[in-house]
Amino acid sequence: FDLAGYQESSGTLSGDYYDVLELPGGRTGLLIGAASGTGVPAAMGMAMARSFLAAVARDQADPGAILREVNALHSGDLRRGMYVTVLLAVLDPKDASLTLANAGHAPLLLARGGGKSLAAVHSEGIALGFDRGPVFDHTLKVVRLELAPGDRAVLYTPGITPVTGGDGSALGESRFAGLVKREGGQGAEVFVKRVAATVRKFVGDGRLNEDVTLLTLGRLAPGSPG
């Protein structure tokens, strides 16, 4: 497996976050999230969520159980109207499986076979902070998938699709999906460099209107340079 992340700030205090967590049983947690709003409230909301996630994940490797407990802990601390979206994917290297739980975040993108195909993996769930328990717990669904050699998973925050070019057009979901598919066969470090270069070229001399954050995991194919 290979792993890399990429974040570029719009110049304001960020509510985006990504992390890699060591979980029980030799598993690895891939975490990406975004807080509503901007500035200090968003950054504080995300910082609190990060603290709860890191604490709960010390003793738990089930992404659904982790997010349910974090929501119960975090909901009472968020200011009214604020929420945090989180996608948590747990890698078990023993069987090359990825187990996902999604709290209102953008879906995981999965490029299969070195970019031969691309799918958005949806797993239902509402954002942290909308509900303190019953609705959140009932809505959250866990999805499990297997990574074959040459597959690449991509977690990202919603700020990447509104990236605006010099002509006023947005990068958009279709272009971003095409970029992930086209570069899906690259190693993780090269993949994020290609994405970053494409975003920067698209923006040109302008500035990002939102933070861009991305985390990618790939299962290496035999003979791959990584």
Side-chain angles (χ1 to χ4, degrees):
F1 300 96
D2 65 358
L3 180 67
Y6 158 56
Q7 186 171 51
E8 186 169 348
S9 173
S10 62
T12 60
L13 196 59
S14 177
D16 279 13
Y17 174 76
Y18 78 88
D19 205 352
V20 179
L21 308 172
E22 293 185 12
L23 304 179
R27 297 178 177 89
T28 299
L30 311 176
L31 171 68
I32 196 161
S36 62
T38 58
V40 172
M44 289 183 63
M46 193 68 249
M48 287 189 294
R50 186 266 173 201
S51 297
F52 287 129
L53 284 157
V56 172
R58 292 193 189 106
D59 304 310
Q60 178 64 260
D62 180 332
I66 291 172
L67 292 189
R68 289 185 180 97
E69 185 171 349
V70 169
N71 181 68
L73 293 168
H74 194 27
S75 293
D77 292 329
L78 287 171
R79 293 170 57 177
R80 185 176 180 85
M82 282 198 66
Y83 59 89
V84 175
T85 68
V86 173
L87 175 59
L88 176 59
V90 175
L91 170 69
D92 188 341
K94 296 176 184 177
D95 59 4
S97 66
L98 205 57
T99 308
L100 319 176
N102 191 331
H105 200 76
L108 178 142
L109 295 181
L110 182 60
R112 292 282 195 187
K116 292 180 181 178
S117 66
L118 183 74
V121 182
H122 296 272
S123 46
E124 295 180 18
I126 62 175
L128 303 173
F130 278 147
D131 169 78
R132 294 198 178 192
V135 177
F136 184 93
D137 293 352
H138 176 73
T139 305
L140 192 71
K141 305 297 181 185
V142 174
V143 173
R144 182 182 179 279
L145 55 91
E146 293 183 1
L147 294 177
D151 289 351
R152 176 159 303 287
V154 179
L155 298 76
Y156 63 99
T157 54
I160 195 165
T161 53
V163 166
T164 304
D167 61 356
S169 65
L171 180 65
E173 293 183 5
S174 179
R175 283 179 180 171
F176 177 58
L179 172 62
V180 171
K181 182 180 180 182
R182 185 171 67 250
E183 303 295 346
Q186 304 293 338
E189 293 289 348
V190 174
F191 177 86
V192 296
K193 288 179 181 178
R194 295 274 178 90
V195 172
T198 300
V199 168
R200 183 43 51 200
K201 182 178 180 180
F202 189 79
V203 174
D205 295 330
R207 59 179 294 177
L208 294 172
N209 44 340
E210 295 187 43
D211 296 335
V212 172
T213 306
L214 181 146
L215 182 61
T216 182
L217 168 78
R219 183 179 179 188
L220 301 178
S224 170

